[in-house]
């Protein structure tokens, strides 16, 4: 047995497997067994009171390690726990021991071979205390079932490094000692090259005898941990149909199916999974993995960045000086969280300082920094410009990067290099300069760029230094194709490529490239391609919908060309942004303050502001973003959704909304968390006479805040016509104040109070609607009322019907979905239909109206005073027994255009009656709500035939 296995922790783990009675028996047998073997006695008083932890310590302290285990095994047999003996022997003498040794050798060799580790050698291969604590917590026994964990973080932030440390720690038996018998590391970049395989084949690649240990491995799946590193490299959506997944770990399947089966717990469901991927892919797959725990790796702290900088310079104070120079640039500081990019930044600034250049030029934007880094790699030390061989090498490297971008390739072979003009003799120079790093094992002649970001800047350079048709690969597209592909919302890979393409168009960057390559550059071709693409997107509704405007804004931020930026942002007057990074605030502030044609702006701010405060720079850039409300006279609509606005952010927004120059007409604040500073926000509505549409749906409004809102609505200066308060958490107590608003309002036309818990408060509102003052003033203007998802009592419905039958009521649309209305309530609904000739839309689905209730409604629908055009009866417990009455409405009503009957248990006979009515020459129905898939084949054919017969009719599941 290995010495690490003989530790008291190893004994403790097995002692913890004993029940309380078994543990007491173990103590009794211990006294007898040590006498029988002639061993030194442990004082019985110590043994009797010992916990499992203490007893494990006593055994290791009093006996040699082998003796301690021999005694333990003997006692296990005598208390009928031979299974624990077998487990322990298998773990320390079987394949696990061999596999641990192999893992240790493999990952130790990889560590010392890795170029990245050589770049910042102070990073130790031992887990730091912080890393160890994090990894132990991920699989802590908080719940009985095994878990799936996603380790997310930007490319290069150190996910692979942490996983390598994990593998070494497990192999050395210092992490997950007895939690996992086997830990398997699968690099998705390598695995995706495989076509058909099985899980058994994948996990047994490191054994020379192939599948020999697979039966042992899978005998305890709950003690297996699978690590999938770089899941985004698979380029799979993990969305295979359940029928295609496989539970047999020996079966040969496409590699995507095998891994999807493992990840979605079809295969070895008891095992644990640790998946490393980038944030964009995390958001894409997390729901497919059944709600995994997500741990974010943030990379270097500012202290670690400072250490990295100071280690790079012989005179450490120069490193500190360089770090403080970039510290004010939030973009570069953010990128320096990634260790290898921190090293590249240090290297670039050191080279610029040694050459006596202005650091401000190199640190202007990310493009300027990384282009300087790449150009410096090919400029000999002490020289002012490169030699011709260096220029040729860099052009070849740029061609390689472009080919890799178009083929989604990150790992290149020697043949790939040769095809792009890089000879075998060039490779040592490229490796020495760290323009490339060696990939795979020591015998593997494959190469990667230092970081994806470096590959992207080289790919962007390609379009400036070589003409596109000159590339040897037909897969490489034009600059316009780069933008068409990588400015779309659906593209998660190569996010910096379009930014660098724009950034290299900057005048200062052009001067730098001209000095390096000479006068023969293609910048005019690239600029024309950019302008042509943006014009094309602007003119196409389809392309405009696919455009990721935030990525475009990042591109314009990199370009930093005032005239061009103003032209480009004004092409898109309707924009919406998901803000998830503090850098997003800076980019939006830069672009939005240069926009003069903006009409609609949407913002969703997540995980950027802390709960109650903002940093100074966040406040500055948020204020700049909000300033578009007063600076842009064309802006009519603002939507803030799914956001948490701390006090300073809400006050800043409110101050701009109240400003006399704010021309906003529509404000939507959906699912927004307010702070204690909400008073300033609700004051907006009494000070913004142009504001007509207010949508607070999904935003929880406290009782005190609702009072503020009612006061504002009651103000003569308030001109709100459309008020949406769906799902705002309103309660019965809130209705008292709103009653006054209803009675006095002469401007409110549309009111949505659905998805609240108004309870008895509905009676107050219905009473208010019945009052003469409301009938003469409020109801004369109200055209839409939605009280859905609120329980209406019979007396409430009666009051409501009385109000809506008033001659002064001009209500056109009424929503009462899921209001607990029964057949009894249909008498009042029928009286509304016959008593209000203005009503055009009635939605009463998800109520238990039943056939008797609908018969009452059908009689009212045929009344000459009823002009309803849209009627919603979905999920109302209707059967085919009422279809004859419905059919009479279809043939007798000249007004009804849309009828929803979805989610009702109709049969073939009922559908036949409806279809016969649809064929009647007097039937004017245009939309029938029925889910064809819910019916048998014969009924589906009947509905399809009816649609084909009548091109003006649509049958759809509404």
């Amino acid at each position: 047995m290995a010495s690490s296995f003989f530790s008291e922790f190893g004994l403790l783990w097995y002692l913890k497997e004993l029940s309380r009675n078994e543990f007491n028996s173990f103590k009794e047998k211990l006294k007898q067994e040590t006498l029988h073997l002639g061993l030194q006695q442990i004082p019985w008083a110590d043994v009797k009171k010992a916990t499992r932890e203490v007893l494990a310590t006593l055994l290791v302290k009093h006996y040699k390690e082998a003796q301690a285990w021999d005694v333990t095994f003997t006692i296990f047999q005598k208390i009928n726990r031979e299974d624990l003996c077998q487990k322990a022997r298998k773990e320390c003498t079987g394949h696990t021991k061999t596999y641990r040794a192999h893992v240790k050798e493999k990952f130790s060799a990889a560590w010392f071979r890795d170029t990245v580790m050589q770049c910042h050698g102070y990073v130790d291969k031992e887990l730091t205390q912080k890393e160890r604590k994090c990894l132990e917590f991920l699989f802590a026994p908080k719940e009985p079932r095994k878990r799936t964990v996603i380790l997310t973080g930007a490319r290069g932030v150190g996910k692979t490094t942490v996983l390598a440390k994990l593998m070494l720690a497990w192999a050395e038996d210092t992490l997950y000692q007895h939690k996992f018998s086997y830990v398997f590391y699968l690099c998705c970049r390598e695995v995706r090259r495989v076509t058909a395989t099985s899980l058994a084949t994948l996990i047994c690649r490191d054994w020379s005898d192939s599948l020999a240990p697979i039966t042992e491995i899978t005998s305890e799946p709950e003690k297996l941990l699978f690590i999938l590193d770089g899941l985004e490299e698979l380029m799979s959506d993990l969305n295979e149909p359940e029928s295609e997944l496989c539970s047999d770990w020996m079966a040969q399947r496409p590699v995507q199916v095998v891994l999807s089966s493992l990840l979605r717990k079809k295969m070895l469901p008891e095992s644990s999974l640790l998946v490393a991927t980038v944030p964009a892919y995390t958001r894409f797959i997390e729901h497919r993995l059944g709600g995994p725990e997500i741990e974010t790796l943030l990379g270097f702290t500012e202290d670690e960045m400072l250490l990295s900088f100071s280690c790079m310079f012989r005179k450490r104070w120069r490193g500190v000086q360089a770090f403080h120079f970039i510290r004010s640039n939030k973009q570069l500081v953010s990128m320096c969280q990634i260790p290898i990019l921190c090293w590249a930044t240090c290297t670039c600034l050191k080279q610029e300082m040694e050459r006596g250049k202005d650091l401000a030029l190199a640190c202007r934007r990310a493009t300027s920094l990384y282009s300087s880094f790449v150009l410096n790699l090919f400029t000999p030390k002490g020289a002012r410009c490169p030699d011709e061989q260096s220029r040729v090498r860099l052009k070849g490297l740029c061609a390689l990067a472009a080919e890799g971008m178009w083929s989604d390739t990150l790992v290149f072979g020697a043949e790939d290099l040769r095809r792009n003009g890089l000879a075998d003799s060039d490779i040592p120079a490229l490796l020495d300069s760290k323009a490339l790093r060696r990939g795979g094992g020591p015998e593997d002649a494959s190469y990667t760029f230092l970081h994806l970001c470096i590959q992207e800047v080289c790919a962007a350079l390609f379009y400036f230094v070589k003409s596109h048709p000159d590339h040897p690969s037909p897969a490489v597209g034009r600059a316009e194709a780069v933008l068409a592909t990588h400015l779309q919302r659906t593209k998660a890979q190569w996010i910096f490529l379009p930014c660098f393409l724009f950034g290299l168009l900057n005048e200062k960057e052009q001067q730098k490239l001209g000095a390096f390559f000479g006068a023969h550059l293609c910048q005019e071709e690239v600029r024309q391609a950019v302008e042509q693409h943006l014009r094309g997107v602007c003119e196409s509704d389809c392309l405009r919908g696919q455009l990721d405007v935030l990525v475009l804004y990042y591109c314009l931020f990199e370009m930093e060309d005032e005239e061009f930026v103003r032209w480009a942002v004004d092409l898109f007057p309707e924009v919406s942004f998901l803000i998830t990074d503090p850098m997003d605030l800076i980019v939006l502030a830069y672009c939005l303050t240069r926009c003069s044609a903006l009409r609609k702006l949407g913002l969703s701010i997540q995980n950027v502001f802390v709960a109650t405060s903002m940093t100074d720079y966040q406040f500055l850039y948020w204020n700049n973003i909000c300033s578009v409300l007063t600076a842009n006279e064309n802006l009519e609509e603002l939507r803030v959704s799914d956001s948490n606005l701390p006090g300073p952010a809400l006050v800043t927004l409110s101050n701009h909304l109240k400003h006399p120059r704010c021309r906003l007409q529509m404000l939507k604040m959906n699912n927004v968390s307010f702070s204690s500073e909400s008073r300033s926000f609700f004051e907006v509505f009494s000070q913004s006479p142009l504001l007509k549409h207010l949508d607070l749906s999904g935003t929880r409004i406290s009782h005190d805040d609702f009072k503020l809102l009612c006061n504002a609505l009651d103000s003569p200066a308030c001109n709100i016509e459309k008020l949406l308060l769906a799902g705002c958490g309103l309660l019965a107590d809130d209705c008292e104040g709103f009653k006054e608003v209803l009675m006095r309002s002469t401007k409110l036309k549309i009111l949505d109070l659905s998805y609240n818990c108004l309870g008895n408060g509905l009676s107050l509102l219905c009473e208010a609607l019945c009052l003469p003052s409301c009938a003469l003033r409020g109801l004369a203007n109200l055209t839409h009322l939605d009280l859905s998802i609120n329980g209406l009592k019979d007396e409430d419905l009666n009051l409501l019907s009385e109000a809506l039958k008033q001659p002064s009521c001009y209500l056109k649309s009424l929503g009462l979905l899921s209001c607990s209305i029964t057949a009894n309530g249909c008498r009042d609904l029928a009286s509304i239909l016959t008593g209000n000739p203005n009503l055009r839309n009635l939605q009463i689905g998800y109520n238990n109206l039943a056939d008797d209730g609908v018969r009452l409604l059908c009689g009212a629908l045929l009344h000459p005073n009823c002009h309803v055009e849209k009627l919603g009866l979905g999920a109302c417990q209707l059967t085919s027994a009422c279809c004859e009455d419905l059919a009479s409405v279809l043939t007798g009503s000249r007004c009804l255009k849309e009828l929803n009957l979805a989610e009702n248990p109709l049969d073939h006979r009922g559908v036949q009656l409806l279809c016969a009515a649809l064929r009647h020459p007097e039937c004017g129905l245009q939309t029938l709500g029925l889910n064809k898939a819910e019916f048998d084949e014969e009924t589906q054919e009947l509905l399809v035939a009816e649609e084909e017969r009548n091109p003006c009719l649509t049958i759809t599941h509404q």
Side-chain angles (χ1 to χ4, degrees), residues 543-596:
L543 294 177
R544 203 163 53 244
Q546 295 173 358
L547 177 70
D548 190 326
V549 186
L550 184 58
V551 173
L552 173 62
Y553 276 25
Y554 265 90
C555 293
L556 298 172
F557 179 77
E558 287 293 319
M559 190 176 186
E560 204 178 8
D561 181 324
E562 285 287 325
E563 184 180 350
F564 188 91
V565 171
R566 291 181 187 278
W567 170 78
V569 294
D570 280 346
L571 290 174
F572 305 100
E574 299 180 12
V575 291
S576 184
F577 304 99
L578 172 61
I579 303 170
T580 58
D581 189 276
M583 189 62 206
D584 296 344
L585 293 176
I586 298 174
V587 171
L588 284 185
Y590 174 81
C591 291
L592 287 176
T593 51
R594 287 159 175 78
C595 183
S596 60

Side-chain angles (χ1 to χ4, degrees), residues 684-701:
V684 169
F685 313 122
S686 60
Q687 300 179 34
S688 304
L690 294 178
L691 195 62
K692 302 292 180 64
H693 180 148
L694 176 60
D695 181 357
L696 299 178
S697 299
T699 294
R700 309 296 287 184
I701 302 177

Side-chain angles (χ1 to χ4, degrees), residues 118-320:
Q118 297 169 15
C119 293
H120 39 279
Y122 63 87
V123 177
D124 193 84
K125 69 188 180 84
E126 300 291 332
L127 285 168
T128 64
Q129 186 176 359
K130 179 181 175 183
E131 290 167 341
R132 180 177 295 278
K133 186 176 180 180
C134 171
L135 292 173
E136 287 175 344
F137 172 77
L138 291 181
F139 293 101
K142 293 184 293 186
E143 48 186 318
R145 65 182 181 85
K146 296 299 178 183
R147 297 176 21 244
T148 298
V149 177
I150 296 180
L151 181 66
T152 189
R155 289 182 185 274
V157 79
K159 300 187 294 293
T160 298
T161 300
V162 168
L163 295 179
K165 289 182 177 186
L166 183 161
M167 294 299 294
L168 284 168
W170 175 80
E172 293 167 356
D173 211 20
T174 62
L175 181 70
Y176 304 143
Q177 287 98 326
H178 294 283
K179 178 171 283 295
F180 299 120
S181 298
Y182 290 93
V183 180
F184 298 104
Y185 175 89
L186 300 175
C187 174
C188 293
R189 181 183 296 175
E190 298 173 2
V191 169
R192 81 171 190 178
R193 302 176 191 172
V194 179
T195 52
T197 187
S198 67
L199 183 63
T201 303
L202 286 176
I203 64 181
C204 290
R205 290 180 303 168
D206 292 326
W207 274 282
S208 58
D209 54 347
S210 185
L211 300 180
I214 191 65
T215 303
E216 176 188 313
I217 292 169
T218 55
S219 65
E220 293 183 285
E222 70 279 1
K223 298 192 72 176
L224 302 180
L225 171 62
F226 291 93
I227 297 175
L228 283 81
D229 189 11
L231 192 62
E232 70 279 359
E233 303 283 354
L234 285 178
M235 295 183 288
S236 169
D237 59 8
L238 305 181
N239 203 26
E240 293 86 357
E242 191 73 18
S243 59
E244 289 186 12
L245 300 183
C246 177
S247 60
D248 183 1
W249 34 265
M250 297 291 290
Q252 293 277 322
R253 294 288 188 277
V255 69
Q256 285 89 349
V257 172
V258 171
L259 295 183
S260 194
S261 300
L262 179 67
L263 289 164
R264 290 165 57 185
K265 296 294 186 179
K266 181 77 170 180
M267 190 182 294
L268 299 177
E270 303 91 347
S271 63
S272 296
L273 302 170
L274 178 55
V275 178
T277 189
V278 294
Y281 198 68
T282 298
R283 291 190 290 270
F284 182 64
I285 64 162
E286 61 177 305
H287 72 281
R288 290 175 171 83
L289 301 187
E293 182 159 328
I294 299 175
E295 181 70 22
T296 301
L297 195 62
L298 298 176
F300 277 173
T301 63
E302 284 204 7
D303 288 343
E304 289 168 326
M305 292 178 206
L306 180 59
L307 174 62
S308 182
F309 270 73
S310 58
C311 287
M312 282 290 296
F313 289 80
R314 185 176 300 172
K315 295 179 180 179
R316 291 200 165 207
W317 65 270
R318 297 293 298 277
V320 173

Side-chain angles (χ1 to χ4, degrees), residues 459-460 463-464 479 482-483 496-505 526 530:
Y463 289 95
F464 291 87
V482 174
L483 300 173
F496 288 109
L497 177 63
C499 295
F500 291 145
L501 200 66
F502 275 72
L504 290 171
L505 286 169
V526 176
V530 168

Side-chain angles (χ1 to χ4, degrees), residues 351-370:
Q351 292 167 337
E352 295 292 288
M353 292 170 79
E354 289 172 349
R355 291 184 168 100
K357 293 185 178 180
D358 182 4
L359 292 188
L361 293 177
C363 293
R364 183 186 59 83
R365 292 287 192 264
T367 304
S368 54
L369 179 75
Y370 296 122

